[in-house]
Amino acid sequence: MILLAGVLGLLIGSFLNVVIHRVPAGLSLVSPGSACPACAHPVRAYDNVPVVSWLVLRGRCRDCAAPIAVRYPLVELATGLLFVVVAWRFGSTPYAAAGLVVAAAGVALFMIDLDHRRLPFSITGATALGAVIALGIDVVRHGAAPVPTALLAAGAWLAVYGGIWLVTGGRGMGLGDVALAPVLGLVLGWLGWGPALVGLGAGFVVGAVVGVVLIASGSAGAKSRVPHGPFLLTGAAAGMLVGAQLASAYLNLVGLR
Ligand SMILES: [Zn+2]
């Protein structure tokens, strides 16, 4: 099952490369088929195998030998790994399906925010729809016990991100972050307050650490605009995968448990 999730992740990662390239440009996801950007020759099916084809072709187009960026196999690999971890952590459950939806969308949003400094509402909307369907199936199968915490967590994430957006006048982050926040809050809150709050806080901690490193290394100035989406998503991944453990370790540490 975990192996299957990994293969599915690689294939979806291959599709996400198309999403990352075409959605911000407003292009169709289905047609035309993939082609080499240098020589426009259509990519053959057997040259479109995730990760493997890039290795076999040694990162070059079969027709014109133009280099194929290493980010394509890396996106596929990252999606495959995330799918493996989600399947391993949550097993064959409806919640795992919600986790896979967020993982796939998260990879696409992460890269699009790096490229274009925006988080397209179309992807956030599709993520919300997919997550709500999966969580709805979870309610049918296992009952509605997680719903109140999940809704409150979604509200808390929206309040924090909406608040920062209002206070900073939109300079600190964009409306794309504000729209994505309650979706992530809902999915993490489904697991409880630990994952929801660890995920929320981890996004800002990772953002602060990376910001300091970028400024110290001279890659960015104090006024550089670093997109927040990748941190928001990295924090959510941490909250979903290890938030429960981190929260209970913290409560033990301060003697509340
Ligand atoms: Zn070519």
Side-chain angles (χ1 to χ4, degrees), residues 36 38-41 61 63-66:
C36 169
C39 69
H41 197 292
C61 170
D63 297 291
C64 70

Side-chain angles (χ1 to χ4, degrees), residues 36-128:
C36 169
C39 69
H41 197 292
V43 177
R44 298 162 182 81
Y46 57 81
D47 283 341
N48 217 356
V49 182
V51 183
V52 177
S53 288
W54 190 88
L55 293 173
V56 169
L57 293 169
R58 295 204 198 92
R60 293 192 170 273
C61 170
R62 187 182 289 278
D63 297 291
C64 70
I68 307 167
V70 71
R71 65 180 270 171
Y72 294 107
L74 287 182
V75 162
E76 292 160 354
L77 206 56
T79 312
L81 284 175
L82 279 172
F83 272 44
V84 163
V85 175
V86 169
W88 168 73
R89 181 81 173 72
F90 301 108
S92 320
T93 59
Y95 187 82
L100 296 181
V101 166
V102 170
V107 169
L109 290 169
F110 189 106
M111 298 304 292
I112 291 172
D113 206 18
L114 282 184
D115 286 349
H116 304 281
R117 299 183 181 205
R118 47 183 278 242
L119 300 165
F121 293 126
S122 57
I123 297 178
T124 299
T127 311

Side-chain angles (χ1 to χ4, degrees), residues 246-257:
L246 283 179
S248 67
Y250 173 76
L251 291 178
N252 279 327
L253 193 70
V254 297
L256 286 173
R257 278 196 5 185

